[in-house]
Amino acid sequence: MVDPQLLRQAAAMLRQARRILVITGAGLSADSGLPTYRGLGGLYNGVTAEGLPIEEALSGPMLQQDPALCWKYLAQLGRACLGAQPNAGHAAIARLQQEKPECWVLTQNIDGYHRQAGSAPERLIEIHGHFSPLYCQACGAVDENLEAHLAAPLPPLCSRCGGILRPPVVLFEERLPEAALDDLYEQIERGFDAVLCVGTTASFPYIQEPVLRTRASGGVTLEINPEPTVLSAWMDLCIEARALDVLPKVISHIFFD
Ligand SMILES: [Zn+2]
């Protein structure tokens, strides 16, 4: 049970902030029952039936070298995305963005749930891409039939040219999308009054940097995660809980207290 006073404190910090960055990771989607790349790896004890580390099976080079094998594991991610839904945590974040027109969301998740929950696409940075719609690697055509492709033999092929389709996600050994990085760094330059980390344990530079810079410029930093993370030392406030349980309460305190 989280101390209700902590939730009010978090709400007070966010209420005062104009420019807010919410950073979300696997923990938020795990609350929807979704495995992540790493979580999916966990299903195989880190090794696929072919004896490969899951990071190798789900890599950019593997998609080129053996598309059927890579797609065997991509398809599991795709089915997981289609089989679950955004949760109350996603909805609370979308609500915060509606009330705070300078609130941005940076997510590591590829499930598209922020968009589905109503987050403003122009203030959403999906740094690892999103699973759907697929596109053709040969001709670039966009293909909206993910569900049908997942029920058919893999890899899915382009109806226009027969090329192999892929999701616009960042596979292992691939680079982050430049447009998303540009958007992020433009906003980091403009500065944030508050950064809220939700369900992420990652220590990538693009997560650490906004946290550290916001602190250095006198802003506040908050974290909601079931366990302490590498980011916890830099937080003004940590709430050790699942986002699904506490985020809706924090957000409603902001606007109703
Ligand atoms: Zn094509």
Side-chain angles (χ1 to χ4, degrees):
M1 184 65 194
V2 179
D3 179 359
Q5 198 50 40
L6 264 187
L7 305 185
R8 290 212 163 75
Q9 219 178 318
M13 290 162 106
L14 292 171
R15 189 186 297 126
Q16 284 171 6
R18 188 173 54 89
R19 285 184 52 78
I20 300 173
L21 178 64
V22 182
I23 304 176
T24 70
L28 181 61
S29 293
D31 285 352
S32 285
L34 201 73
T36 61
Y37 282 156
R38 302 273 163 198
L40 191 70
L43 288 180
Y44 297 92
N45 225 352
V47 179
T48 66
E50 296 79 14
L52 294 170
I54 193 72
E55 291 85 354
E56 202 175 321
L58 282 173
S59 69
M62 187 58 77
L63 180 62
Q64 304 312 319
Q65 189 190 314
D66 190 341
L69 188 147
C70 182
W71 257 105
K72 180 175 163 188
Y73 297 96
L74 272 178
Q76 298 188 10
L77 279 176
R79 286 185 198 110
C81 290
L82 289 177
Q85 283 178 357
N87 61 53
H90 296 95
I93 291 168
R95 172 85 203 286
L96 181 64
Q97 280 198 296
Q98 281 154 19
E99 303 284 345
K100 297 269 188 185
E102 291 184 74
C103 175
W104 285 71
V105 174
L106 164 64
T107 187
Q108 301 172 278
N109 300 335
I110 58 164
D111 46 55
Y113 291 170
H114 283 294
R115 215 172 278 242
Q116 276 186 48
S119 273
E122 66 278 10
R123 283 179 283 135
L124 173 64
I125 300 171
E126 293 172 311
I127 199 83
H128 288 166
H130 45 90
F131 204 91
S132 162
L134 306 176
Y135 72 93
C136 174
Q137 296 183 99
C139 77
V142 171
D143 185 301
E144 303 278 356
N145 304 311
L146 175 61
E147 203 165 353
H149 285 304
L150 291 179
L154 298 168
L157 301 178
C158 175
S159 58
R160 196 194 285 176
C161 80
I164 293 168
L165 300 174
R166 69 164 289 172
V169 296
V170 180
L171 295 171
F172 289 103
E173 294 180 53
E174 289 186 326
R175 294 161 61 124
L176 297 174
E178 257 171 54
L181 276 176
D182 287 350
D183 278 354
L184 174 63
Y185 278 91
E186 192 189 322
Q187 295 306 318
I188 291 176
E189 283 305 318
R190 291 183 56 188
F192 288 103
D193 305 318
V195 175
L196 168 63
C197 294
V198 180
T200 177
T201 55
S203 54
F204 298 116
Y206 61 82
I207 289 180
Q208 289 189 355
E209 204 171 325
V211 170
L212 292 174
R213 286 176 64 161
T214 299
R215 260 181 95 85
S217 65
V220 293
T221 50
L222 304 87
E223 176 177 59
I224 298 175
N225 206 70
E227 294 103 33
T229 73
V230 290
L231 299 166
S232 301
W234 301 323
M235 294 293 157
D236 294 307
L237 184 71
C238 293
I239 299 176
E240 284 184 27
R242 300 195 316 166
L244 177 66
D245 298 329
V246 300
L247 204 43
K249 292 178 193 152
V250 170
I251 303 302
S252 83
H253 280 315
I254 298 179
F255 304 110
F256 292 112
D257 276 9

